Amino acid sequence: MKRLAYLILLLTIVSGCSEEEIKIDIANCTYSRTLPVLFINTEENKPVVSKEEYVNATYYLETFDLNGYEPIGSEAEQLPLEIRGRGNSSWNKDKKPYRLKLGSKATPLGMNKSKHFVLLAHVGAYSQYLTETAAFELGKEIGLAWTPEAEPVEVVVNNEYKGLYFLVENIRVDDKRVNITEQDDNCTNADEITGGWLLEIDNYNDPDQIKFVNGSGYTMHITHKSPEILSKEQESYLRQQMKAIDDAVYADDKNSTTWEKYIDIDALARYYIIQEIFCNGDAFAGSSYFYKNRGNDTKWIFGPLWDFGNSFEGGARNFFYEKGKRPRCWIKEIAKYPRFQEHVRKVWNEFYPAKYEPIYTFIAEMAQRCAEADKCDAKRWPQYNKGDTESKKRQLFEVLQNRIDFLNSEWSN
């Protein structure tokens, strides 16, 4: 309630309207009916205030007979759901992101059947929802093993319109997502602790992380997503693997192939190219995932893609690791290896322009799909959104073209 009162006060100052007019305007914010609407009703109308504790709720997905969508449940027959907050800096915004756990597996908006999804609010960069979905689309085109599906949806929680969100498949070990053998928490078996591992290079401090000073003198923060709770044997194995990678990457001999014994060079090249196209400020600094399947000889694979809220912060005509606000883990050093650069050029010339060029059509179609909902979102959240979808599209086209011109000049045959 304090946040809402503060928001209303801020809007009265900015708009010149009275407090009562602002309250009425927010109450009248509603969905566009041009996209499906996800209705969520928490138990006893409890607010969602925690990132750790789920709140019991029910949901239904209304599709208004829109082509290509199937409704789930109904207002009269709502389905069980648990909801909590998620995110780091994004959780501090008034328009908040959420983690969802459905009572039973479903296929919302045509996605693969699962209980686990997230609602991303996209209140960061000006064109963030177009940028992130474009990055995911290019991840699929370049041949990453798995890239999350993301679909636009409007959200209503406890009869309050929350705006335009994207329902997204969150990153987890699953045969339809990160398809590796799941490792038990507190495992001690020597063979089983070789995998699977799902890790994140993080830029937030957590007491449960694996931390070490890498070859550039920067303390890396590794969050283990799976398994979550480590035995001494698991922690020891993980630390040994991270040190072995770090030692190999920072070897003096840049013709050495030792680092390739640990990291899959092809997956890394494809993941890296997408990060370069978007000059992602978080790439290899935070929200950067990599994983390993079970086995002594399996390699670490970079991916899946996640979080492009800090795209294009480093300029048009430089590699992202040359500038930016955050130290980059490993990639700046790996880029010094001629074999890696050769592989990047090889993948680039297979990918561009044949598999890249359709992205402009994809962005234009996504902008058109979301245009009316974007206006509704702007009415609900004027502090974050102007609702000018066409301007967002033009800006993204321009910065993407500048990035592509630069990268093609560096990597083209």
Side-chain angles (χ1 to χ4, degrees), residues 80-361:
L81 165 80
E82 294 176 81
I83 180 171
R84 64 174 171 84
R86 67 164 308 280
N88 292 307
S89 60
S90 58
W91 178 244
N92 297 321
K93 308 291 186 180
D94 293 303
K95 183 186 179 186
K96 296 187 179 300
Y98 300 104
R99 175 89 176 259
L100 307 180
K101 184 162 67 174
L102 310 186
S104 59
K105 290 184 177 181
T107 57
L109 307 177
M111 298 181 189
N112 286 316
K113 184 177 287 189
S114 179
K115 291 183 179 182
H116 303 279
F117 299 91
V118 295
L119 285 168
L120 297 184
H122 290 149
V123 295
Y126 179 56
S127 61
Q128 186 176 348
Y129 78 80
L130 291 177
T131 301
E132 191 148 288
T133 51
F136 286 177
E137 182 68 12
L138 288 180
K140 298 171 192 174
E141 292 298 327
I142 207 169
L144 295 179
W146 174 73
T147 301
E149 294 287 344
E151 288 289 332
V153 63
E154 291 180 274
V155 176
V156 174
V157 178
N158 295 333
N159 297 316
E160 180 185 352
Y161 178 65
K162 293 294 187 179
L164 171 62
Y165 280 73
F166 270 71
L167 186 69
V168 184
E169 296 176 324
N170 58 318
I171 295 174
R172 58 185 287 110
V173 176
D174 185 280
D175 61 358
K176 298 295 186 182
R177 298 187 186 181
V178 179
N179 189 12
I180 57 177
T181 301
E182 190 163 23
Q183 184 180 169
D184 292 334
D185 289 344
N186 284 315
C187 182
T188 60
N189 182 284
D191 293 326
E192 294 179 3
I193 65 175
T194 61
W197 290 97
L198 175 59
L199 309 181
E200 179 187 1
I201 297 173
D202 220 330
N203 51 18
Y204 289 88
N205 188 46
D206 187 281
D208 293 329
Q209 291 168 331
I210 299 294
K211 304 180 183 72
F212 63 94
V213 178
N214 70 9
S216 66
Y218 172 70
T219 299
M220 288 184 63
H221 295 231
I222 304 294
T223 301
H224 42 92
K225 298 292 186 176
S226 182
E228 294 184 0
I229 303 171
L230 304 186
S231 65
K232 290 181 180 179
E233 289 82 358
Q234 286 171 313
E235 180 176 345
S236 177
Y237 177 84
L238 186 54
R239 288 188 180 278
Q240 289 170 7
Q241 285 284 300
M242 295 302 99
K243 185 177 188 308
I245 293 173
D246 198 66
D247 289 346
V249 164
Y250 285 97
D252 293 333
D253 179 9
K254 295 310 175 193
N255 290 311
S256 170
T257 60
T258 302
W259 71 273
E260 295 176 46
K261 295 178 181 178
Y262 299 100
I263 296 176
D264 186 302
I265 188 174
D266 184 67
L268 176 61
R270 295 173 193 276
Y271 178 84
Y272 163 73
I273 286 171
I274 303 302
Q275 304 291 0
E276 277 292 13
I277 290 172
F278 292 89
C279 199
N280 186 2
D282 280 331
F284 298 89
S287 300
S288 298
Y289 289 83
F290 59 121
Y291 59 93
K292 180 183 181 294
N293 212 341
R294 185 167 296 172
N296 290 314
D297 298 324
T298 58
K299 297 183 180 182
W300 290 92
I301 296 173
F302 270 84
L305 298 171
W306 193 257
D307 195 354
F308 286 79
N310 290 305
S311 293
F312 310 116
E313 70 171 25
R317 302 197 62 81
N318 55 264
F319 297 114
F320 70 73
Y321 53 77
E322 295 175 331
K323 291 186 178 180
K325 303 173 184 177
R326 306 163 189 80
R328 310 295 184 167
C329 301
W330 294 335
I331 191 61
K332 185 174 183 179
E333 198 69 17
I334 291 174
K336 298 176 183 178
Y337 285 82
R339 275 178 51 83
F340 179 68
Q341 287 295 345
E342 289 170 11
H343 202 87
V344 167
R345 284 192 290 273
K346 173 180 177 293
V347 173
W348 177 259
N349 286 287
E350 294 169 354
F351 169 70
Y352 180 82
K355 295 184 178 181
Y356 172 80
E357 287 299 336
I359 197 61
Y360 296 107
T361 301

Side-chain angles (χ1 to χ4, degrees), residues 32 34-35 125-131 133 152 154 161 164 166 360-379 384-398:
S32 68
T34 61
L35 290 174
Y126 179 56
S127 61
Q128 186 176 348
Y129 78 80
L130 291 177
T131 301
T133 51
E154 291 180 274
Y161 178 65
L164 171 62
F166 270 71
Y360 296 107
T361 301
F362 174 87
I363 293 169
E365 290 175 350
M366 182 63 73
Q368 185 177 21
R369 287 173 65 192
C370 297
E372 292 303 314
D374 206 3
K375 292 176 185 176
C376 293
D377 185 87
K379 185 178 179 182
Y384 300 127
N385 188 4
K386 301 302 181 186
D388 189 347
T389 310
E390 186 65 24
S391 172
K392 296 174 184 178
K393 182 186 75 174
R394 287 197 305 269
Q395 183 198 58
L396 183 54
F397 278 7
E398 180 180 350

